[in-house]
Structures are given as C-alpha cells and as structure tokens.
Amino acid sequence: MIDVVNLIKHVIHMVVKVTMSQVKKDWFAISEKLHKFYGGKVEIVPKCPVTNIDYFAIWYTPGVAEPCRKIHSGGEDLTYDYTWRWNAAAVISDGTRVLGLGNIGAAASLPVMEGKALLFKYLGGVDAFPLVIKERDPDKFIYIVKALEASCGAVNLEDIESPKCFYILDKLQQILDIPVWHDDQQGTALVIIAALMNALKIVDKKIDRVKISLIGSGAANIATYRYLKVTGADPKNILAVDSKGIIYREREDVESLQKENPWKYQIAVESNAEGVKGDIAESLKGADVVIAASKPGPGVIKKEWVKEMNKDAIVFAAANPVPEIWPWEAKEAGARIVATGRSDFPNQINNSVGFPAVFRGVLTVRARKMTDEMFVAAAHAIAKYSEETGIHEERIIGSMTETELYVREAIAVAEKAMELGYARRKISRDELEHEVRALIERPNKYMEMALKAGLIATPPPL
C-alpha cells in the first residue's frame, strides 16, 4: 500500500527544492541587473538648504572657518556638534571573508559594504559609508582604521577572516575613543542570544541548565560562546565543534591554539567538562540546543543526529544560503523550535535586527565604547519586544519590518551607555525616544518622497 503521507511530504520537499533553486538563481540575476542600473545603492545628499549662491559662504568658505576654529580651540568632541560625525558610521572590510564567497578581496567586497550602509540608513537612520581597505596585515589595517577615527562616530567591521578578526576588534576597542564592533561576531551573536532567550521560554528550560552544541568555531560561534557565558550559560555544558571535531582540552592541536587562536583556546580549556570526543553526531547526543554557524548544507547536520537530542530540542541552523539542515527535516527528527538565516522560513536569525538599532543607540548619545553590558541590553530588548508582540514556535524573534523593535533596542543601548558613563551626551528618556524614533522613521519618509518625485528611478522590467 502506498504511504500517502510520506508521498505528499516527498512531493512538497521536491517542489520546495526546485522553487528555492529557481528563486536563488533569479535573485542573483535581478541583483546584478539592478546594481548596474543604479550604479550602486547609496549616495550623499544635502541636509542643509542651498537656495542661492550666498549659502556657500556659510557652508563653505569663508564661513566654514568659524566651526573649524571652534573645534581646533575647543577639542575634537565639538565635531559632534558641527559635523555629521554624531550620526556617521564607517563600514570597513578587507574582503577576506565575504558572505559565502570567502576571500574575494577588498574591491569585490564593496557591494556588500555598500549594502550594509543602506541597511544602516534604512533601518536605523544611521549615515553609514562603505570603506574597503586593500591591506591584509592586521596591524597596518588597525593603523588605517585608527587614522580614520576623526571622520566617524562609530566603526562597523565586516567580513574579516578568523582569527584575525578577533585581534583587530580587540585592539581597536582598546585604542579608539568611539564604539567599534564586528558584525560577524557581535551582530550574529546578538540575534542568536535574543532568539535563544525566547526559545527557552517556550520550551520551559533555563539557560544555565541546558546542554548546548556549537557547530562551527569561526567568528560567529566564538562570539556566541562568549555571550552565552555572559547571559548565564555554563561553559561546562557547552560542546564546540570545528573542522577537526569536538574541541576538548587534551586534543593534540590545543596547545598551538594558545598562540595561534587564543579565543578558540579559551573554549578548549573552559568548555566540555566531560571531555567528550568525536564529531557533530556525538556533540548532539543529549543536547538541548544546537547552534550551527558552519558551512552551507543540507546534510551538515543529519536527521538521525537530531533524533539523539533531548526532548523539545532547539535547532538554530544559520548557514546561508542553505542551512546545515532543512527546517522540515529537523522538525521531523523531533526538534520543537527551528531557526535559520533565511527570510523564507520561520524564525529568521537576521543580523539586520541588531546592528542598525545598536548603532542608532550609541550614536544618539555619542558613546565612546561598545560594551558587553550594552550588548546584553540590546538582546534583552529584542527578546522582550518579541515576547510582548507574541512568541510561539514559529516566531521567537521579531523581524526587520518591525520599526518599534529598533526603537526599543536603540533606547536600551543608549540608556545603558549613559548608565555606564560612556556617553558624551546625557538626555532624558523622553528626549531619547523622540530623537531615536524620528531618526529611524525618517528614511522611510524620504524613500516615499524620493520615489514619488522621481529622485530614485523606477527600476527597469525584470
């Protein structure tokens, strides 16, 4: 007798695979065509009036000499009053680890950095500008970023290979007097932690009790490990897996990690209290949570391995464009909550829910640093907003279309910066909310106006 249920599942599976393959192909073609049509995605437009030639005597010479004199005599912080620096973020990369493309170089990474700048503006009201640097030496790269500090109020590092990215971030956080973060580390970890907070609420488990498997030990999961600890997870209950298998203290390459990758070495000496050895399959036995940020699937995580996890398992498969395991496979294997990095599946783990609002918060109060406490404040704000607006097994985190999420998150970050004494500017909650909301909503209003007036061209037929 034909198993009708399994036959239907098989047909649906094949249709979805074919459809997604076609959509993927179409998005590449459409993106290439529109990038060329528009000649990029962002531009600089005036924010001050120029209605006659006299205005140039104000905005440029001779009048501009006066704010220059004020800054020279009063200190660099006055640039926040007289220039765009109060709202400017540099999106900086060397192009050594770009999306799923790998080491494609600085020039080829520019479309990604420009896209990031667009997201900063459209979602957070931040004037971000892309900068790609043809420099592979980490110390020279750091020198260049430091030299650019006076031009911006914050730095977003992007698509830099591991472990170099950890060294660069740590060093820049020490020497810059403005916030700096690496979105592939903190941005990814932020949304994972926020989503996990709500997933654990749904399955009624505590973060300090759950057993967690981290699949992949690059920038994203090394940062996730760090912030799991900050938010209460017990490192002894965490197993991390890299290309050589489960990381444990006695593994033969661990001592060399102490010098080559001290961030991974810390995982080796702190985690895996029982000294479990093996591969991904072994790491999932008895796990409550798996967080995968490794290589595109499917098949990196197999159904039979998920079956070995504890009841009400949580599976985050964040690889793009194809997750380590298809969501329906994880569900069929017994996982209760599944999240991926894709917008066409429920529970998208999307960096874009994090970085625009975090930068909106630090820039609004002109913060000097980005700290773990500010990170945790952002995660709690995302989780709380998502819970208030309704969480369930297929919605553990809000989406990038929800403006109020960004407002709440930005306020939480800004307030924490003021509380910790890192803000150059201290304002009331009412003032803060008014400014944040206005800046986040402004790009949408401009987009409507620009499209209606023809300032942004209508795209060609696709």
Side-chain angles (χ1 to χ4, degrees), residues 86-123:
W86 68 272
N87 197 42
V91 181
I92 302 180
S93 179
D94 65 356
T96 53
R97 191 186 180 282
V98 182
L99 297 177
L101 303 173
N103 188 348
I104 61 174
S109 75
L110 186 56
V112 178
M113 304 315 127
E114 191 182 35
K116 201 80 172 191
L118 176 64
L119 289 170
F120 265 114
K121 185 65 176 180
Y122 191 75
L123 298 174

Side-chain angles (χ1 to χ4, degrees), residues 185-197:
Q185 291 182 57
Q186 293 145 303
T188 301
L190 171 60
V191 292
I192 286 173
I193 296 297
L196 182 60
M197 287 177 178

Side-chain angles (χ1 to χ4, degrees), residues 124-139:
V126 174
D127 293 319
F129 54 98
L131 285 174
V132 292
I133 298 175
K134 285 186 173 182
E135 180 53 70
R136 301 295 179 85
D137 181 279
D139 290 308

Side-chain angles (χ1 to χ4, degrees), residues 77-328:
D77 279 359
L78 287 179
T79 53
Y80 290 92
D81 293 321
Y82 291 106
T83 75
W84 80 331
R85 191 181 180 195
W86 68 272
N87 197 42
V91 181
I92 302 180
S93 179
D94 65 356
T96 53
R97 191 186 180 282
V98 182
L99 297 177
L101 303 173
N103 188 348
I104 61 174
S109 75
L110 186 56
V112 178
M113 304 315 127
E114 191 182 35
K116 201 80 172 191
L118 176 64
L119 289 170
F120 265 114
K121 185 65 176 180
Y122 191 75
L123 298 174
V126 174
D127 293 319
F129 54 98
L131 285 174
V132 292
I133 298 175
K134 285 186 173 182
E135 180 53 70
R136 301 295 179 85
D137 181 279
D139 290 308
K140 291 180 180 177
F141 184 92
I142 290 165
Y143 174 84
I144 293 168
V145 176
K146 172 63 177 173
L148 294 167
E149 180 179 8
S151 295
C152 55
V155 169
N156 179 84
L157 300 173
E158 193 80 22
D159 293 348
I160 301 171
E161 63 189 349
S162 174
K164 180 171 69 174
C165 61
F166 302 109
Y167 172 73
I168 289 173
L169 177 64
D170 288 352
K171 202 70 174 169
L172 287 173
Q173 285 181 326
Q174 293 170 23
I175 65 175
L176 295 187
D177 197 30
I178 57 175
V180 55
W181 90 344
H182 180 209
D183 197 45
D184 301 305
Q185 291 182 57
Q186 293 145 303
T188 301
L190 171 60
V191 292
I192 286 173
I193 296 297
L196 182 60
M197 287 177 178
N198 283 343
L200 290 172
K201 291 171 189 171
I202 292 170
V203 300
D204 194 25
K205 295 182 181 181
K206 304 296 183 185
I207 195 168
D208 60 340
R209 302 279 183 85
V210 293
K211 291 184 178 181
I212 302 171
S213 174
L214 300 177
I215 310 302
S217 297
N221 262 352
I222 288 179
T224 297
Y225 172 79
R226 172 183 172 181
Y227 289 110
L228 282 169
K229 291 193 302 176
V230 170
T231 50
D234 186 347
K236 295 177 181 178
N237 292 335
I238 298 175
L239 296 182
V241 184
D242 64 10
S243 59
K244 296 179 181 179
I246 297 172
I247 300 172
Y248 59 96
R249 180 66 182 85
E250 291 76 25
R251 206 173 76 173
E252 60 182 16
D253 64 324
V254 165
E255 287 306 316
S256 64
L257 288 177
Q258 191 167 5
K259 181 178 180 181
E260 296 169 5
N261 192 334
W263 303 274
K264 189 187 286 190
Y265 176 79
Q266 185 177 16
I267 294 176
V269 298
E270 290 179 350
S271 68
N272 191 3
E274 297 178 3
V276 178
K277 303 175 184 178
D279 53 15
I280 296 173
E282 193 65 31
S283 77
L284 294 188
K285 290 180 179 178
D288 298 286
V289 177
V290 57
I291 299 170
S294 55
K295 61 182 180 180
V300 176
I301 297 174
K302 299 186 183 300
K303 283 176 65 174
E304 54 265 33
W305 302 345
V306 176
K307 289 179 181 178
E308 296 294 318
M309 296 179 70
N310 284 338
K311 186 183 178 188
D312 293 331
I314 297 168
V315 176
F316 288 1
N320 275 314
V322 179
E324 289 87 349
I325 182 171
W326 290 118
W328 58 84

Side-chain angles (χ1 to χ4, degrees), residues 8 25 101 138 332 399:
I8 292 172
K25 180 181 176 182
L101 303 173
E332 289 167 2
S399 74

